[in-house]
Amino acid sequence: MQEIKVLVQTGGYDKAIEYMDNTHFHRQEGAEQLHGQHVTAHILRAKRSLSDGAHDRAVEDMLMADTYPENHMVGRDTAYGRNPQIYYYTGLAYELAGDKKLAKEYLNMTVNATSRDPESQYYKAMAYQKLKKNKAAEPLLDELIRLGEERLESSAEVDFFAKFGNEQTDDQRKANAYYLMGLGYMGKAETALAKEYFEKSASLDVSQLWARIYLEELTTGH
């Protein structure tokens, strides 16, 4: 698991997916981390394919991101927090592959998905924008920025147990707050502010993979 996580963090998606495809993982504590790596590896490999113009290959990876392989021993969660992200990028892949009907179907799935993850609001907002419903997108992006600011203010509170278990450190909480703000501003096309907050997020927590991914996209344009 640790090697898979490092591979995904450093762009070794093919090798990470190979390990996940060919290894039987026993059901145990932390199993949700495995599924998260499975989703992330396929989404990021799909995004790489989209950048290379390999749209059909990107669609294949996005459809794989929505699977729960039997060898992972993880059951499907219909309210999985990252479903909006999966559906949004699947819709984008279909759009670029020329299938407008399926693209629209997945964009609608994005906005209708149930999710407890705050960052899912970004993908719902992007789907609304694609569906020409900008008025529905704005409140979601505003909420992301507000939530990030709120978490930033509360992150200074001392958590005695932060060093135990899976509790976040102060820097990790701040990094997450900056990441949410970056998503909000990126959705609003306020690129300078989005880059500023993604930079702060990535500098505070090296494991903030998506902050680094989006910062690179905003900096390089792809």
Side-chain angles (χ1 to χ4, degrees), residues 20 27 39 49 69 78 86 91 110 113 131 133 142 153 170 217:
M20 288 187 280
R27 177 69 184 175
V39 170
S49 294
T78 55
I86 295 170
T110 304
L131 293 167
K133 298 178 180 179
D142 290 337
E153 290 176 6
D170 184 51
E217 287 184 8

Side-chain angles (χ1 to χ4, degrees), residues 1-20 37 40-41 44 48 209 212:
M1 267 301 301
Q2 290 303 317
E3 186 173 357
I4 288 169
K5 288 167 69 175
V6 170
L7 284 167
V8 173
Q9 284 277 336
T10 56
Y13 314 129
D14 291 342
K15 190 66 176 177
I17 290 170
E18 181 183 332
Y19 280 143
M20 288 187 280
Q37 298 303 321
T40 299
L44 291 180
R48 180 180 287 174
L209 175 60
R212 289 191 282 114

Side-chain angles (χ1 to χ4, degrees), residues 77-85 87 110-121 123-124:
D77 180 0
T78 55
Y80 179 50
R82 294 180 64 186
N83 279 344
Q85 183 187 30
Y87 299 154
T110 304
V111 299
N112 292 322
T114 300
S115 173
R116 297 174 294 275
D117 289 1
E119 55 263 44
S120 69
Q121 294 188 90
Y123 301 103
K124 290 189 175 193

Side-chain angles (χ1 to χ4, degrees), residues 91-151:
L92 186 61
Y94 272 124
E95 180 183 58
L96 292 172
D99 194 328
K100 294 182 179 179
K101 182 180 178 181
L102 277 173
K104 187 174 182 180
E105 181 179 321
Y106 271 93
L107 291 174
N108 280 314
M109 286 170 64
T110 304
V111 299
N112 292 322
T114 300
S115 173
R116 297 174 294 275
D117 289 1
E119 55 263 44
S120 69
Q121 294 188 90
Y122 168 76
Y123 301 103
K124 290 189 175 193
M126 293 301 94
Y128 274 128
Q129 288 182 6
K130 284 279 186 183
L131 293 167
K132 309 298 183 185
K133 298 178 180 179
N134 288 3
K135 287 185 177 180
E138 283 303 306
L140 298 178
L141 299 172
D142 290 337
E143 176 64 13
L144 270 175
I145 296 169
R146 186 201 64 76
L147 183 59
E149 292 172 341
E150 185 178 277
R151 289 190 176 185

